[in-house]
Amino acid sequence: MSAATLYGFCAAVLVGLGLFGLIAHPQPLRKILAFNLIGGGVFLLFGAVARRGAAAGFGGDPVPQALVITGLVVAFAATALAVALLLRLMGQPVRRVRGRMDSRG
């Protein structure tokens, strides 16, 4: 079993666990985390495909690697926004304390 095959298998497991979490759990925070698992699996699969498609003896293609890094940053920002919106919807006030966001009431 090559490294690319192993990465592809791990990516499929992450996507499968994420889909299970989206379907099986009614809690919104768990759905957000499950969606992050799906995203992590897709990023891992994309990185494995980029590495496997590289020429022999060379590193992976830098364009898919840059897209994966950008996707990770965007996913982190989207997760932070989703958690902040979830806190607002659940009725826990989010207030500013010394220039930082604080969710304690």
Side-chain angles (χ1 to χ4, degrees):
M1 180 180 289
S2 69
T5 306
L6 183 62
Y7 287 146
F9 179 71
C10 290
V13 168
L14 284 176
V15 170
L17 285 173
L19 285 174
F20 173 75
L22 277 177
I23 294 169
H25 297 293
Q27 296 91 359
L29 182 60
R30 289 193 180 190
K31 287 189 181 279
I32 292 171
L33 293 176
F35 198 71
N36 278 342
L37 273 178
I38 293 172
V42 169
F43 294 145
L44 185 62
L45 182 65
F46 194 55
V49 167
R51 176 74 177 148
R52 189 173 187 171
F58 296 107
D61 189 13
V63 175
Q65 291 176 359
L67 289 174
V68 167
I69 291 172
T70 304
L72 287 171
V73 171
V74 170
F76 177 75
T79 301
L81 178 65
V83 169
L85 289 174
L86 180 64
L87 287 175
R88 291 279 184 173
L89 286 174
M90 292 298 169
Q92 294 183 0
V94 178
R95 58 187 173 97
R96 288 199 171 266
V97 177
R98 294 187 196 130
R100 296 180 302 177
M101 297 297 280
D102 188 16
S103 63
R104 291 175 280 179

